[in-house]
């Protein structure tokens, strides 16, 4: 069947280009447009009669337009506002204060062996404030790495743990959680609760795996695990006079979500809107900044970072989701999805088999490309139909795939966070990957096992 051949061909080209570090957004969009053009040429209409532009070539780009509008109207706007708020928190120094406060208690720990699992867990907690794995790694290498060296933790142990400090935290502020909940028709908090049932035990399992694996590696490598650090490679974190209580501001949207969630149980009719609550948190922060500087004009200079961040959220994440959605829409237009759904529907244990297929593909893609979320965003819209045909809840396929997408980058030699940590320490990425490999594999296996045990079928 020529449609299947075209999909496999274009899919192979797209995967190759993403693995070769071509821009994933433009690659997915280009692949989607090519497949839409193939659909038109082969006589598959993109719109029912009378609903398109009347010309197949124009319908291709009208479908692109509709995809952008659809994503922005749904989860895209939420992603943009969350990116904007995070950018504003960085601008006013609130994120840095929060990180410093989380680091301080570790100074009092006397048992050196406990540092490894504790750093991993606290680092993941910090990802609530700084969702970017690369940005968090840069900050932790500047703050934590010298401290760890000072108390006798080996360089490679510290590097391995720091490289894995942004993985699978359950948070309603995560773009992947927002997209998944929206696509599956779940209430966001309900989806995050299912996420927490899998991710929190997994994080503790990974922390224990880190303790034993790093200890084993240190014993095997001996003195070579300790590397003299070139302080010039550490990014200097400037001292800030930001008030300590600002540490609560990055978590303000999350606190408001929890407060409204509790209120909705007591007072019927109250609904939660993340965009609204994040905007309220933003203006609370602006009001606090205005009181601090006693000048609204001065505060405006930093407040506009909110809107700059929204633009970054649109360009980095929303358009990636658009590219993935357009690509899957194009595959659907060629009729390939219908054939896939028919074959899945007729198979035994279809849901479990499908989960393993998607999880395995995400792991492989994440290792090769340095991040599996591009694939996650590309196929998320297919999950409801596939899950329905397989006779399972879509969350059984989506949650493992989502978590593995976040974990897989820690065992990829081309992942930005791995390269940042390796270059800062002054070793090859392979040596860092050795330290992250076993904990990551343990984490992936834990996600799959817990998903089969806990998630609804």
């Amino acid at each position: 069947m020529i449609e299947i051949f075209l999909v496999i061909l274009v899919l192979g080209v797209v995967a190759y280009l993403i693995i070769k570090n071509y821009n994933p957004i433009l690659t997915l969009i280009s692949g989607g447009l090519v497949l839409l053009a193939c659909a038109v040429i082969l006589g598959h209409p993109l719109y029912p009669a009378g609903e398109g532009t009347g010309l197949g070539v124009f319908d291709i780009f009208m479908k692109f337009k509709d995809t952008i509008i659809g994503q922005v109207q749904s989860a895209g706007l939420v992603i943009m506002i969350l990116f904007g708020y995070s950018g504003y928190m960085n601008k006013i120094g609130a994120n840095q204060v929060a990180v410093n406060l989380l680091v301080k208690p570790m100074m009092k720990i006397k048992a050196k062996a406990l540092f490894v699992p504790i750093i991993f867990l606290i680092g993941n907690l910090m990802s609530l404030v700084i969702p970017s794995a690369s940005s968090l790694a840069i900050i932790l290498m500047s703050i934590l790495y010298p401290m760890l060296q000072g108390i006798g933790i080996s360089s490679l142990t510290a590097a391995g743990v720091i490289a894995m400090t942004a993985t699978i935290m359950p948070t309603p502020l995560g773009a992947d959680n927002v997209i998944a909940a929206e696509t599956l028709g779940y209430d966001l908090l309900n989806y995050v609760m299912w996420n927490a049932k899998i991710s929190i035990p997994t994080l503790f399992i990974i922390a224990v795996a880190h303790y034993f694996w790093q200890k084993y590696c240190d014993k095997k490598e001996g003195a070579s695990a300790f590397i003299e650090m070139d302080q010039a490679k550490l990014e200097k974190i400037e001292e800030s006079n930001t008030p300590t209580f600002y540490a609560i501001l990055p978590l303000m949207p999350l606190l408001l979500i929890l407060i409204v969630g509790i209120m909705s149980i007591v007072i019927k009719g109250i609904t939660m809107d993340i965009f609204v609550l994040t905007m309220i948190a933003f203006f609370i922060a602006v009001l606090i900044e205005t009181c601090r500087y006693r000048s609204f004009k001065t505060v405006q200079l930093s407040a506009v970072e909110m809107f700059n961040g929204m633009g970054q959220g649109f360009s980095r994440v929303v358009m990636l989701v658009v590219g993935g959605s357009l690509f899957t829409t194009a595959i659907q237009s060629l009729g390939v999805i219908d054939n896939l759904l028919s074959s899945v529907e007729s198979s035994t244990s279809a849901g479990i088999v499908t989960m393993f297929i998607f999880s395995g593909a995400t792991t492989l893609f994440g290792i090769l490309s340095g991040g599996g979320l591009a694939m996650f965003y590309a196929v998320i819209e297919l999950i409801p139909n596939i899950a329905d045909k397989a006779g399972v809840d879509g969350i059984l396929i989506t949650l493992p795939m989502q978590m593995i997408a976040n974990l897989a980058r820690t065992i990829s030699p081309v992942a930005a966070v791995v390269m940042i940590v390796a270059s800062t320490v002054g070793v090859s990425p392979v040596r860092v990957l050795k330290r992250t490999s076993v904990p990551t594999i343990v984490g992936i296996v834990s996600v799959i096992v817990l998903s089969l045990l806990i998630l609804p079928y």
Side-chain angles (χ1 to χ4, degrees):
M1 194 175 179
I2 189 170
E3 286 87 352
I4 295 177
F5 171 76
L6 288 171
V7 168
I8 294 174
L9 177 63
V10 175
L11 186 61
V13 172
V14 167
Y16 174 79
L17 292 177
I18 291 176
I19 290 168
K20 290 297 182 180
N21 289 324
Y22 282 72
N23 185 287
I25 297 173
L26 287 174
T27 302
L28 284 168
I29 291 174
S30 299
L33 292 175
V34 168
L35 287 178
L36 286 173
C38 292
V40 171
I41 293 170
L42 294 173
H44 298 281
L46 302 183
Y47 291 94
E51 292 187 14
T53 63
L55 188 62
V57 176
F58 289 173
D59 281 351
I60 294 170
F61 289 93
M62 185 173 179
K63 185 65 74 173
F64 185 26
K65 169 201 159 188
D66 290 344
T67 304
I68 294 175
I69 292 173
Q71 291 299 336
V72 172
Q73 285 179 338
S74 56
L77 198 58
V78 175
I79 293 171
M80 289 165 63
I81 195 73
L82 292 175
F83 258 77
Y85 191 77
S86 178
Y88 180 52
M89 291 298 100
N90 275 330
K91 184 71 174 179
I92 64 177
N95 282 346
Q96 186 62 51
V97 173
V99 169
N100 288 339
L101 281 180
L102 285 169
V103 169
K104 277 186 179 178
M106 289 192 294
M107 306 292 190
K108 300 178 181 179
I109 300 173
K110 295 181 179 179
K112 186 175 72 172
L114 293 177
F115 265 97
V116 171
I118 288 175
I119 287 168
F120 172 75
L121 294 172
I122 291 182
N124 275 277
L125 193 61
M126 290 178 188
S127 68
L128 291 174
V129 177
I130 304 173
S132 167
S134 300
S135 299
L136 182 58
I138 291 171
I139 291 173
L140 292 182
M141 288 300 291
S142 300
I143 297 175
L144 276 183
Y145 187 83
M147 181 190 78
L148 294 174
Q149 278 197 314
I151 63 172
I153 300 291
S154 78
S155 307
L156 290 176
T157 288
V161 175
I162 289 174
M164 286 189 66
T165 48
T167 50
I168 53 174
M169 279 298 294
T171 168
L173 305 182
D176 48 354
N177 283 323
V178 173
I179 291 290
E182 179 82 25
T183 305
L184 298 180
Y186 268 74
D187 173 76
L188 180 58
L189 283 183
N190 187 23
Y191 183 84
V192 171
M193 287 301 295
W194 281 112
N195 184 310
K197 291 176 183 179
I198 307 298
S199 58
I200 291 178
T202 298
L203 285 172
F204 279 98
I205 291 170
I206 295 174
V208 173
H210 260 300
Y211 170 76
F212 288 106
W213 179 242
Q214 305 308 336
K215 188 175 181 180
Y216 169 78
C217 289
D218 281 348
K219 184 177 180 180
K220 189 173 182 180
E221 295 179 25
S224 65
F226 294 80
I227 298 165
E228 190 65 31
M229 186 66 197
D230 182 1
Q231 295 297 321
K233 291 184 178 180
L234 293 175
E235 183 166 310
K236 303 300 180 185
I237 302 295
E238 296 180 4
E239 289 294 325
S240 172
N241 59 354
T242 306
T244 304
F245 74 89
Y246 268 46
I248 200 67
L249 294 182
L251 298 176
M252 184 69 72
L254 182 60
L255 294 176
L256 291 176
I257 289 170
L258 295 175
I259 291 170
V260 173
I262 294 171
M263 289 176 62
S264 66
I265 298 173
V266 180
I267 306 173
K268 301 300 180 183
I270 295 180
T271 58
M272 180 187 66
D273 187 306
I274 295 181
F275 184 95
V276 171
L277 296 178
T278 305
M279 191 59 78
I280 291 171
F282 167 65
F283 279 103
I284 290 174
V286 170
L287 179 61
I288 291 172
E289 279 278 274
T290 303
C291 294
R292 176 188 174 192
Y293 289 104
R294 298 178 182 177
S295 169
F296 184 57
K297 188 173 183 179
T298 300
V299 171
Q300 286 181 334
L301 298 176
S302 59
V304 295
E305 190 63 31
M306 173 74 166
F307 310 112
N308 294 334
M310 288 180 69
Q312 291 179 0
F314 179 80
S315 63
R316 292 181 185 178
V317 178
V318 177
M319 285 307 297
L320 181 59
V321 177
V322 167
S325 180
L326 185 70
F327 194 80
T328 54
T329 298
I331 296 175
Q332 287 175 316
S333 298
L334 285 164
V336 174
I337 299 302
D338 292 334
N339 294 332
L340 174 63
L341 296 180
S342 298
S343 63
V344 169
E345 187 178 18
S346 61
S347 64
T348 307
S349 303
I352 296 175
V353 172
T354 305
M355 185 201 76
F356 276 108
I357 290 172
F358 277 89
S359 297
T362 303
T363 302
L364 181 61
F365 187 86
I367 293 171
L368 294 175
S369 67
L373 281 176
M375 180 177 176
F376 173 75
Y377 290 138
V379 304
I380 181 64
E381 289 203 354
L382 301 178
I383 302 301
N385 282 337
I386 292 176
D388 184 58
K389 292 289 185 180
V392 295
D393 193 310
I395 200 170
L396 180 65
I397 303 171
T398 302
L399 253 182
M401 184 182 179
Q402 174 190 345
M403 293 185 185
I404 290 170
N406 283 293
L407 285 169
R409 67 167 170 258
T410 58
I411 49 175
S412 170
V414 296
V417 64
V418 171
M419 290 191 287
I420 287 170
V421 171
S423 63
T424 305
V425 177
V427 297
S428 72
V430 174
R431 296 194 70 185
V432 175
L433 290 177
K434 179 181 177 181
R435 296 305 186 114
T436 62
S437 58
V438 169
T440 300
I441 293 169
V442 168
I444 291 173
V445 172
S446 299
V447 164
I448 293 173
V449 172
L450 290 171
S451 295
L452 290 172
L453 294 174
I454 296 173
L455 293 179
Y457 279 59

